[in-house]
Amino acid sequence: MSGVSANWRRGHPWAAVYDFFVERESLSRPVGKLLFGTDTQLLYDEMRAVVEVPDGGAVLDIPCGGGVALRALSPDRDVRYVAADIAPAMLERTEQVARERGLDQVETRIADAEDMPFDDAEFDLAMSFAGLHCFPHPDVATSEVARVLKPGGRFVGSVFLVDGSIRYRPMVVMGRVAGVMGPSGGMADLRRWFADAGFADAQIERSGAIAYFDALR
């Protein structure tokens, strides 16, 4: 297991900080604009992809972190929702959020995004918010997501790109020094990851240092 993956598995305080702000829209929007030049409303809009999954469908949320994307799932939805993460502490927090929201359809799984314990074509939707830039090999993770998605399935999420304005360079340096940010890439790399994994019609919107994407398998 790579150093960055091991750091996340052990649990890192940055995950709790991220969840704290994302769970509070009134805080996340000004902080997101200040630190990353991004409009976090785009993040919440992406989460609503869950609403479009048909009854009986399956959703994969990896890395689920503290379960922030559960805000888009309602208790009456007839879907299988798999919240996966490499960190046991994050799964415990997700389980707590699911209980508080009455989301009985949520199951949690320990999973490495680069080698997932799921079958081919198992999910209708995969979500990865602030995930790809944390993986040591984001291209491998993208291919794994493609593998577990059904034909016509969607992959939505967000990623910190490293080819943006110089004002964001300190965030990259700090993330790598802290051992929680992998190599990530720029816009061209993101498009290449999608193309190599077999995703078609990848819609990407860049907002500051963050890219929000929606790609079809």
Side-chain angles (χ1 to χ4, degrees):
M1 182 180 292
S2 74
V4 66
S5 294
N7 289 339
W8 281 116
R9 184 176 181 83
R10 286 192 294 266
H12 195 281
W14 170 248
V17 173
Y18 172 82
D19 286 351
F20 178 85
F21 284 100
V22 174
E23 289 167 358
R24 296 162 174 82
E25 293 187 41
S26 61
L27 290 177
S28 72
R29 298 195 73 175
V31 171
K33 182 64 70 174
L34 176 65
L35 296 182
F36 305 108
T38 192
D39 181 2
T40 57
Q41 182 59 49
L42 297 169
L43 176 70
Y44 302 117
D45 291 345
E46 291 279 77
M47 292 177 182
R48 290 191 56 77
V50 172
V51 177
E52 300 176 29
V53 175
D55 288 346
V59 178
L60 173 64
D61 180 4
I62 185 167
C64 64
V68 294
L70 293 181
R71 63 191 299 121
L73 181 65
S74 59
D76 61 346
R77 286 303 317 280
D78 178 21
V79 296
R80 175 190 176 212
Y81 190 108
V82 179
D85 204 290
I86 201 169
M90 292 296 98
L91 297 180
E92 291 175 4
R93 291 181 59 187
T94 296
E95 290 171 351
Q96 179 180 346
V97 171
R99 287 194 298 270
E100 292 172 351
R101 292 179 175 270
L103 301 174
D104 296 333
Q105 65 273 64
V106 174
E107 60 184 86
T108 56
R109 292 283 298 276
I110 285 282
D112 183 337
E114 297 181 9
D115 185 20
M116 292 191 281
F118 305 117
D119 293 334
D120 295 354
E122 189 169 342
F123 298 96
D124 298 275
L125 170 69
M127 303 187 295
S128 185
F129 297 109
L132 289 178
H133 58 263
C134 295
F135 304 146
H137 305 98
D139 55 339
V140 175
T142 303
S143 293
E144 266 292 271
V145 170
R147 179 185 67 80
V148 302
L149 275 176
K150 299 175 183 178
R154 292 172 66 188
F155 181 27
V156 304
S158 62
V159 55
F160 187 111
L161 297 181
V162 298
D163 63 346
S165 167
I166 193 172
R167 65 173 280 203
Y168 309 123
R169 189 64 190 173
M171 304 301 295
V172 176
V173 173
M174 287 189 293
R176 289 176 177 166
V177 169
V180 295
M181 184 172 181
S184 191
M187 181 66 78
D189 297 299
L190 181 59
R191 293 191 183 280
R192 174 173 53 81
W193 301 337
F194 287 143
D196 290 350
F199 284 102
D201 191 29
Q203 304 297 312
I204 304 173
E205 181 171 357
R206 186 166 197 157
S207 177
I210 310 298
Y212 303 88
F213 58 83
D214 187 338
L216 289 178
R217 179 73 174 94

